[in-house]
Amino acid sequence: MFITCALRGLGRALANPRLAVLLWLVNAGVAAIAAIPAFFHLSSALGSRPEGDRLLDGFSFGLMAELGHYQGAWAGILMSMLLPLAAVALLGNALISGGVLEVLTAQDDRRLLHRFGRGAGHFFGRFFRAGLVAGLVGLVVAGVLAALVRWIGRRLEDSAWEPMGFLVALVRFGLVALVVLVVLMALDLARVRMVLEDSRQAIRLFFRSLTFVLRHPVKVLGLWAVNSVVLGGVMLAYLAYCSGFPATRGRFILAMVIVQQAVMLCRAGLRVGLWAGEIALWERMAPPTPVRLARPEPVPAESPAPPEPTAFASTEALSPTDPALAEPQPAPEPPAREPEGR
Amino acid sequence: MQRSSLSALAALPTLALVFALGSDARADRLPERAREVVDYAINVRLDATAKQLYGQERVTWRNPSDDSVSELWFHLYLNAFKNTRSTFFRESGGQLRGDRATSDKWGWIDVTSMKLPDGTDLLPSLGFEHPDDDNAEDQTVARVRLPEPVPPGGSLTIEIGFKAQLPQVFARTGFRRDYFLVGQWFPKLGVYEPAGTRGRQTGGWNCHQFHAHSEFYADYGRFKVEITVPAGFVVGATGERKERRENKDGTSTHVFEQGDVHDFAWTASPHFIEVKRTFSAGKDVTAKEYEDTARLLGRTLEEVRLRDVDITVLVQPGHLPQAGRYVDSAVLAIKHFGLWYGAYPYPTLTVVDPAPGAGGSGGMEYPTFITAGTSFLLQHWPFDKIRAPEGVTVHEFGHQFWYGLVGNNEFEEAWLDEGVNSYSTGKIMEIGYGKETSNVSFLGLRLGEVETTRLQNNPERRFGKIRTPSWGYLTSSDYGFNSYARPELVLRTLEAYLGEQTMARVMRTYHERWRFRHPSSDDFYAVVNEVSGQDLKWYFDQVVEQSGVLDYEVSRITSRKLPEPTGAFDRGGKPDIVDGKEAKRREKEADKKGTRQYESRVELRRLGEVAFPVEVELLFLGQPPERRTWDGKDRWVRWDFVRPEKLVSARIDPDRKVPLDASWLNNGKRVEPNRRAAASWSARYLFWVQQALALLGL
C-alpha cells in the first residue's frame, strides 16, 4: 500500500511542479543569506592569494586551518549565522507545511501563491504548536532512550569484544534517529489531518498521529523509505557527477551550481511528493468521510461577487472528537477526491 | 608479505660486489656496543587476578664518573598512579592522550627490601625526593644513602625486593582485563651524569619525577628478566627470549635478555596471536638502495649494510587482518631508519597491538619493544586508508634510534627524540605511502605528513620554545607542538636550506657519534655546524632556543601603466612643458605604439619574530617567472619595477621549502583577483546549507 501511496504522492508532485519550484526558491533564498557573505569573505581571503587556488584541486585541511587562524572572526560570523538560520528554518517549516498542504488539498481556482499563502497563514499557529510538542516529545523520548543505551553501554564497557562500544554508539544513534523519524512522520500526519479536517486540536492530533504511526510503522515508514531511496539515488548521482567533473574551471563551476540546484529542486519535489503520499496514505487508512466542503463553483466575471470562498468545513459539524475520526481504521478504498488543479 | 624471491636473486651478485668493496670503517664510525653502566637481573611474578607484581631485582651499577658517589637515585614510576596528589596526577588531571584514569584502579610500587650483598639493609636510608616541584606527596623518585661511596670506576650491587600494583591502563602502563602492558615497573636507576655530560659543570644524578608529559631517561646496560605468568599467557618483552619453562604450579616462566639498552618492558595476555617475519638485510633492501644510500651519505657500502631482524607482532585476534599492516610498516621502518642512520643493532623487534580498551598503552616505545594500536574499523573500507597503525609503528620503531640508541634526556629535551623522530617518521611515511597521502587517503580526502604537521602551526604558537623541560610548558598543546610538530618543521626547513644530501649526512653523523650516549641540543648543533660547514647558531637560537613564529607575507602588490610625467622639463636644452592634456595624448600615443611601461610595486613583510632568508618569485605577464632572494632580516622590504610587462603576482617561498612558515596562504598575492576558488567553495557551502535547511523542513 505504501508504495502505491508513495507513487501517487510523487505523481501529484509532478503534477504540481510550481509548488516544488516555490519550495526550492524559499530554500535557496534562505540559504543564500549564509552563502553570499561566505562568497564575499572567501573572495577577499582567497581571490588575491595564489595559494587559494589549491582549493580548486579539492579540499585542503591546511588551507582551511589557515583560513580559520587568519580569518577566524569571519569564520565565527559564518558559523554563528547558521543558528539563526536553523531557527528561521524551524519557523519556516510551519509556514511551508501549511502552504504546501493547502495547495495539495484545497479545491479552488485561486492562484498557487494565493492558496499557498492562505494555507501558510491559516495553519501556522497550530502547526507551530504541534511542532513544539513534537520537538519536546522527540527530545524526551530520544533522551531517555539514549540514556538507557548509554547506561547499558557502560555495563558493557569492559567487554573484550572491540566492536561492542561501536555497536552501542550505533544503536544509540539509530534509536535517536528512529525516534526523530517517527516523531517527524507523526507531525506530518498530524498536519495532514489538521488541514483535511481543519482541526484546531493540534496537540491532540499529534498524539493520535503518533499512535497511528506506532500502529502502522511499516506503512508510514515505508512511505518515507521509498522517498528516501529516490533521494539517495539523486544524491549518489550528484556525488558521481562531482567526482567525474570536478569544479576546477569557470564553466565546470557553473555546471556544478546548476546541478546542485537541480538536486535541490528534486529534493523539493520529493518533499512535496512525501506530503502528497502522506495525504494519500491517510485517505486510504481513514474512514471515507468527506471532510472538506465542496469547492465553490467558479463564478462568472459579470456575476455579483460571491462571498469569499471558505475552504474549510465547519469544525462543529465534523468534530475531531467524533469517534469515527478518533482513530482511523484501514479502509478498502480511498475516498473519492476532487482532482487537483482544476 | 615476503618480497619476490626473484628480485632478491637478481640482487645477489651486486650485493656480493657491494660487500666485497666494503671497508672496516663501519666499526670506527658506528659503535657496536654501549658502555654498560648498569646490569639488571630481575625475577618477577605476575598475579593476573590481583594485577600485582612480585619482584626481586639485583642491580649492579658502575660509576662512570671521576666522582665518589655516596648515594643512588631510583625511579619508582608506578607511584605516579598512586593517588591524585602525585605530580603526574596534579599535572595531568588523571587523563593523558584522551584516556582517563579509573578512579578505583590505582597503581603503586613498594620497595620491600633493599640490601647490599653483605646483608647491609639500605631500606632505612631510602627516602623520596622531589627535585622538580617540591611536591612532598610525590613518590616517583627515591634516594638511598650508601654506607660507603662508590669510587670512580667502581661498582656496586644491590638486591631489591618490590611489590607493585598495576593501574588500569590509561597512561602507557597497566592492565585491562587479562591484558598486561608492564612498563616503568621496577625500581630503575637514574643517570649519574659525569661532569661534561650534556654541558654539566659537575657530576650528579639526573633523576626526574614522573610528569604528565615527560618520558624517560636511563643509562645503558644489560637486562636479564625472568617473567612468571599463568600458563597459557603469551609473553613478549624487550630483548631475545632465552628460555621458556612450564612450572608445576600452573605458571610458565619466560626468560628474556638484552644488552646495550636502557629500559625493559613486557606484555602478557592469553589472547595474543603471534605473527612472525624476518627482516632480511639481503632481500628487503635492493643493491641499488644500498648504493644510493652510500652515495648520499658518503659512506662505504659496508657501512650502510643492515642486519636481519626477527619481527614478532603480538596482535589481538580481532585485529589479525591488520597484522600485515604492522609487519609491512615495521619492515619499512627497519629498512629506512637503518639505511639512513645506521643498522638496527638488535636481533629482535616486538610490536604489541594493545587490547580493546587499552589504547593508553599504545603508541609507546621501549628498547626492541614497541606498542602500536589500531581499531577494528581500520580494517574495513574506507577506513583502511587511514594509516594510523602504520604511522604509529614507524614512529615507535623510530624511537629505537631517537631515544633508544641515541639516548637523549627525554625529560629535559624531548624534541631530540620526539621531534627528530617525527622528522624521520614523516619522511619514511612519505616514501612508503606517498607525499600527499602518507597519513590519510579517505573518501577523496588526502592528508600528507607536512600538511598534518603544519595544521598545528599557527601565529598563536609564539609562547613556547622547543628547548624546554617537558613539564615547563604553558599547556599540553604547547608541549605537543614544541616537542613533535615544530621540531619536525624546523628540521624540514633546515633540510631545504642545507640540501638533502648535507642534511642526510648531518643526521647520519649525529647518530653515529651519539649512538649509545646521551647528547644534548648543543651536541646536535655542533654536528650540524661541523657537517654543513656553516655556523647555524643564528637559526637554532631563533627556532629552538627562543619562542617565536616564522611568517612572511606579500602585503601589497600593484601594477599600473606608468603615467606620463607632467610639468616643465629640459629636453636636449629645449624647454618641454607637459600639461595634463599633453600627457594624456602622449600616453595614448605610447599605448598605440605599445611602448608604454608598467610601474609595479611589491611589498613583503616579516610578521613573525624569526628571520629566515626566503626566495620570492615574481611573475610578469608573458615572461618566465623570475626569482629573487630576500634575507628576511628587516621587517619589510619594498621592490619597485618599471618594465614593459605588467606584474601578475609575487610569491614567497614558491617551492615550499620553508614549512616552518606559519601561513602559506599569505605568501603570495596577485594583482588581479581570481575568484574561481571562492565561487566553487561558496557554491558548495550554499548547497550544504540548503541540504541542512531541507532537513529542518525548509
Side-chain angles (χ1 to χ4, degrees):
Chain A
M1 178 199 274
F2 64 82
I3 294 177
T4 313
C5 293
L7 293 177
R8 191 172 161 193
L10 291 174
R12 287 177 80 177
L14 285 171
N16 286 281
R18 289 185 302 153
L19 193 53
V21 170
L22 183 64
L23 272 189
W24 166 67
L25 282 174
V26 171
N27 172 283
V30 176
I33 295 170
I36 290 171
F39 171 72
F40 285 115
H41 164 55
L42 286 176
S43 281
S44 75
L46 302 175
S48 62
R49 301 289 183 189
E51 187 72 12
D53 293 352
R54 275 168 65 198
L55 283 177
L56 290 171
D57 299 329
F59 183 78
S60 161
F61 285 107
L63 200 54
M64 286 298 173
E66 283 189 33
L67 271 179
H69 288 306
Y70 281 88
Q71 315 275 343
W74 266 101
I77 291 167
L78 286 180
M79 292 308 289
S80 61
M81 285 179 72
L82 295 181
L83 202 63
L85 275 187
V88 167
L90 289 173
L91 286 175
N93 168 266
L95 283 167
I96 296 270
S97 310
V100 172
L101 288 173
E102 172 65 8
V103 171
L104 288 174
T105 56
Q107 298 156 3
D108 60 87
D109 280 346
R110 296 284 189 162
R111 289 186 309 141
L112 173 86
L113 281 178
H114 178 92
R115 284 181 288 155
F116 187 88
R118 187 178 65 203
H122 186 78
F123 293 107
F124 176 74
R126 51 192 107 164
F127 278 19
F128 186 67
R129 280 203 308 278
L132 278 182
V133 172
L136 201 64
V137 168
L139 213 62
V140 170
V141 176
V144 167
L145 282 175
L148 185 69
V149 177
R150 189 183 168 84
W151 181 81
I152 294 169
R154 285 205 170 157
R155 298 292 167 281
L156 299 171
E157 221 168 38
D158 216 34
S159 165
W161 189 56
E162 190 183 0
M164 180 60 80
F166 179 73
L167 199 67
V168 168
L170 207 65
V171 166
R172 201 162 60 172
F173 175 79
L175 277 176
V176 170
L178 190 65
V179 168
V180 169
L181 188 62
V182 165
V183 166
L184 285 180
M185 294 304 292
L187 180 63
D188 262 13
L189 278 177
R191 286 170 170 177
V192 166
R193 290 177 69 174
M194 277 181 249
V195 172
L196 290 174
E197 300 163 13
D198 193 21
S199 169
R200 294 188 177 278
Q201 305 286 329
I203 297 169
R204 184 180 294 181
L205 277 185
F206 168 72
F207 283 109
R208 283 185 180 169
S209 299
L210 189 60
T211 312
F212 178 82
V213 173
L214 293 174
R215 282 193 181 173
H216 308 284
V218 175
K219 291 186 181 76
V220 179
L221 295 180
L223 186 66
W224 173 85
V226 171
N227 204 277
S228 297
V229 166
V230 180
L231 180 62
V234 171
M235 290 304 291
L236 278 178
Y238 166 71
L239 293 174
Y241 170 82
C242 285
S243 67
F245 302 95
T248 52
R249 293 180 186 178
R251 61 174 181 273
F252 284 118
I253 295 170
L254 184 64
M256 183 189 72
V257 173
I258 291 167
V259 170
Q260 283 175 340
Q261 294 314 310
V263 168
M264 289 315 299
L265 189 57
C266 276
R267 183 162 185 165
L270 284 169
R271 183 66 181 113
V272 173
L274 181 62
W275 267 312
E278 285 163 354
I279 293 169
L281 183 73
W282 178 252
E283 287 170 344
R284 284 200 161 205
M285 302 288 287
T289 312
V291 293
R292 306 293 301 271
L293 282 183
R295 188 171 49 80
E297 287 299 314
V299 180
E302 61 273 18
S303 304
E308 185 67 22
T310 309
F312 309 103
S314 155
T315 49
E316 288 79 23
L318 289 160
S319 164
T321 53
D322 187 330
L325 294 175
E327 188 53 49
Q329 297 302 316
E333 288 298 325
R337 301 289 301 171
E338 292 280 336
E340 278 299 319
R342 286 188 300 168
Chain B
M1 278 172 274
Q2 289 279 354
R3 289 197 174 197
S4 157
S5 52
L6 196 63
S7 63
L9 279 175
L12 280 178
T14 323
L15 273 179
L17 177 67
V18 161
F19 297 136
L21 290 172
S23 75
D24 291 328
R26 177 172 180 240
D28 297 335
R29 294 196 181 177
L30 200 63
E32 286 287 319
R33 298 288 313 275
R35 179 185 182 188
E36 293 190 338
V37 177
V38 284
D39 278 349
Y40 290 93
I42 307 175
N43 196 325
V44 62
R45 179 172 65 82
L46 169 69
D47 179 341
T49 309
K51 323 295 184 191
Q52 289 179 340
L53 304 174
Y54 297 88
Q56 281 295 323
E57 170 180 331
R58 193 179 72 240
V59 55
T60 301
W61 180 70
R62 296 175 196 88
N63 183 350
S65 72
D66 296 331
D67 311 325
S68 288
V69 178
S70 57
E71 58 189 27
L72 299 180
W73 287 53
F74 287 89
H75 291 287
L76 299 173
Y77 288 117
L78 282 178
N79 283 338
F81 310 104
K82 192 168 186 175
N83 53 50
T84 55
R85 307 304 297 167
S86 73
T87 292
F88 175 86
F89 256 83
R90 285 182 178 187
E91 290 176 353
S92 68
Q95 56 182 336
L96 193 72
R97 301 194 291 194
D99 270 9
R100 179 164 277 282
T102 318
S103 58
D104 56 347
K105 289 169 183 167
W106 304 100
W108 64 82
I109 180 168
D110 283 337
V111 176
T112 53
S113 66
M114 186 176 272
K115 291 177 182 170
L116 293 176
D118 64 6
T120 307
D121 190 0
L122 298 176
L123 206 52
S125 69
L126 187 77
F128 296 113
E129 294 291 333
H130 330 96
D132 302 334
D133 64 357
D134 292 329
N135 173 12
E137 294 175 275
D138 187 76
Q139 299 182 349
T140 57
V141 171
R143 179 175 68 163
V144 62
R145 294 186 188 285
L146 302 172
E148 297 287 335
V150 183
S155 68
L156 174 78
T157 297
I158 299 181
E159 307 274 355
I160 302 171
F162 66 92
K163 177 186 171 186
Q165 172 69 52
L166 294 170
Q168 177 159 300
V169 164
F170 89 98
R172 304 184 180 95
T173 189
F175 72 90
R176 184 75 194 216
R177 296 177 295 277
D178 51 5
Y179 160 83
F180 297 85
L181 195 296
V182 188
Q184 314 305 337
W185 54 283
F186 59 95
K188 188 168 73 172
L189 278 168
V191 177
Y192 190 88
E193 295 182 324
T197 303
R198 300 189 319 107
R200 281 189 84 119
Q201 300 296 316
T202 57
W205 285 99
N206 190 302
C207 193
H208 290 287
Q209 293 160 251
F210 197 172
H211 294 271
H213 297 304
S214 67
E215 290 189 318
F216 313 104
Y217 183 44
D219 239 324
Y220 292 95
R222 170 162 290 277
F223 283 82
K224 180 181 180 186
V225 181
E226 298 193 11
I227 303 163
T228 300
V229 296
F233 271 57
V234 178
V235 176
T238 294
E240 283 183 277
R241 185 194 300 272
K242 295 294 184 186
E243 187 187 344
R244 175 184 173 152
R245 56 178 185 267
E246 301 300 327
N247 306 318
K248 289 178 183 170
D249 61 355
T251 61
S252 56
T253 299
H254 305 250
V255 183
F256 289 86
E257 267 189 68
Q258 186 62 57
D260 306 322
V261 293
H262 52 59
D263 202 358
F264 189 99
W266 55 281
T267 187
S269 166
H271 306 297
F272 279 136
I273 297 172
E274 279 187 303
V275 177
K276 289 180 178 288
R277 150 86 141 96
T278 298
F279 169 82
S280 166
K283 293 177 184 169
D284 286 314
V285 188
T286 65
K288 186 173 183 309
E289 286 172 320
Y290 279 121
E291 286 167 5
D292 290 347
T293 306
R295 195 174 306 117
L296 177 75
L297 299 174
R299 300 291 192 272
T300 65
L301 289 166
E302 181 63 19
E303 284 177 294
V304 298
R305 187 188 177 192
L306 304 186
R307 298 173 182 183
D308 290 355
V309 180
D310 289 328
I311 304 167
T312 302
V313 177
L314 298 175
V315 67
Q316 299 296 324
H319 297 162
L320 193 55
Q322 296 183 67
R325 295 175 68 173
Y326 284 133
V327 170
D328 290 348
S329 50
V331 167
L332 181 77
I334 292 171
K335 174 175 157 180
H336 288 287
F337 273 100
L339 283 173
W340 290 345
Y341 309 127
Y344 176 69
Y346 309 112
T348 62
L349 172 70
T350 301
V351 182
V352 180
D353 174 38
S361 66
M364 192 53 204
E365 67 279 7
Y366 304 93
T368 82
F369 179 93
I370 60 175
T371 65
T374 189
S375 156
F376 75 101
L377 277 177
L378 298 190
Q379 61 210 33
H380 301 291
W381 181 89
F383 305 107
D384 55 344
K385 292 291 186 289
I386 296 174
R387 310 204 194 281
E390 290 88 351
V392 74
T393 303
V394 173
H395 183 84
E396 304 313 332
F397 176 79
H399 277 302
Q400 299 304 312
F401 287 74
W402 312 121
Y403 141 86
L405 294 167
V406 174
N408 64 286
N409 186 330
E410 294 189 284
F411 289 96
E412 295 178 12
E413 296 174 289
W415 82 279
L416 284 177
D417 52 284
E418 296 298 356
V420 172
N421 187 32
S422 294
Y423 161 77
S424 310
T425 303
K427 286 166 67 77
I428 291 173
M429 289 298 287
E430 286 178 348
I431 289 173
Y433 306 101
K435 265 199 165 172
E436 304 296 326
T437 54
S438 54
N439 292 346
V440 174
S441 173
F442 172 76
L443 293 176
L445 296 177
R446 294 141 61 98
L447 202 48
E449 174 66 19
V450 173
E451 190 163 16
T452 309
T453 310
R454 280 178 47 80
L455 281 175
Q456 300 174 58
N457 196 11
N458 65 63
E460 298 302 311
R461 295 290 197 184
R462 57 179 86 233
F463 300 105
K465 60 181 181 180
I466 288 178
R467 195 175 186 181
T468 302
S470 50
W471 60 93
Y473 287 101
L474 182 62
T475 62
S476 301
S477 166
D478 270 355
Y479 160 76
F481 176 66
N482 284 288
S483 300
Y484 292 77
R486 192 163 182 231
E488 180 179 351
L489 298 173
V490 162
L491 293 175
R492 280 184 180 264
T493 302
L494 183 65
E495 178 176 327
Y497 182 75
L498 295 177
E500 189 185 353
Q501 178 175 285
T502 306
M503 188 66 182
R505 292 180 182 190
V506 163
M507 299 306 290
R508 175 77 180 201
T509 307
Y510 171 61
H511 185 89
E512 287 170 343
R513 189 162 300 166
W514 290 97
R515 181 177 269 209
F516 299 128
R517 296 170 67 195
H518 304 304
S520 70
S521 302
D522 297 314
D523 299 317
F524 178 72
Y525 307 154
V527 172
V528 177
N529 291 346
E530 175 193 318
V531 176
S532 69
Q534 301 181 43
D535 183 359
L536 289 159
K537 187 174 185 301
W538 62 270
Y539 181 63
F540 292 117
D541 275 354
Q542 291 186 98
V543 298
V544 179
E545 303 289 338
Q546 294 166 21
S547 58
V549 168
L550 192 161
D551 190 13
Y552 286 92
E553 74 158 355
V554 178
S555 54
R556 189 158 172 256
I557 182 170
T558 57
S559 191
R560 57 171 192 161
K561 285 180 177 174
L562 187 65
E564 192 69 24
T566 53
F569 302 92
D570 289 327
R571 309 274 189 207
K574 291 180 181 176
D576 182 15
I577 309 294
V578 183
D579 59 8
K581 204 173 174 184
E582 174 60 14
K584 287 249 186 290
R585 189 194 65 74
R586 290 186 186 184
E587 283 170 2
K588 276 184 185 170
E589 197 178 307
D591 280 341
K592 273 184 191 168
K593 289 181 186 168
T595 56
R596 186 95 177 264
Q597 300 275 64
Y598 280 88
E599 181 181 60
S600 305
R601 170 170 287 184
V602 176
E603 288 174 6
L604 313 176
R605 290 199 300 179
R606 174 162 64 83
L607 300 179
E609 296 82 1
V610 177
F612 190 82
V614 286
E615 273 192 318
V616 182
E617 185 177 271
L618 302 166
L619 185 63
F620 290 91
L621 196 63
Q623 299 296 311
E626 295 173 21
R627 293 211 174 177
R628 290 180 162 209
T629 301
W630 177 35
D631 65 13
K633 287 178 182 166
D634 291 330
R635 292 307 294 236
W636 60 270
V637 68
R638 177 187 294 147
W639 292 332
D640 288 315
F641 309 90
V642 176
R643 296 173 51 144
E645 304 89 15
K646 187 179 182 184
L647 181 63
V648 176
S649 65
R651 204 163 182 178
I652 296 169
D653 186 26
D655 301 326
R656 296 186 181 175
K657 288 180 175 176
V658 191
L660 190 56
D661 192 328
S663 170
W664 276 339
L665 181 60
N666 63 10
N667 275 19
K669 205 157 193 175
R670 55 186 155 219
V671 176
E672 303 293 341
N674 181 336
R675 297 196 166 85
R676 280 182 305 161
S680 174
W681 283 90
S682 301
R684 286 180 170 94
Y685 181 68
L686 170 71
F687 180 62
W688 291 111
V689 170
Q690 283 182 277
Q691 293 287 354
L693 290 175
L695 206 63
L696 293 171
L698 195 66

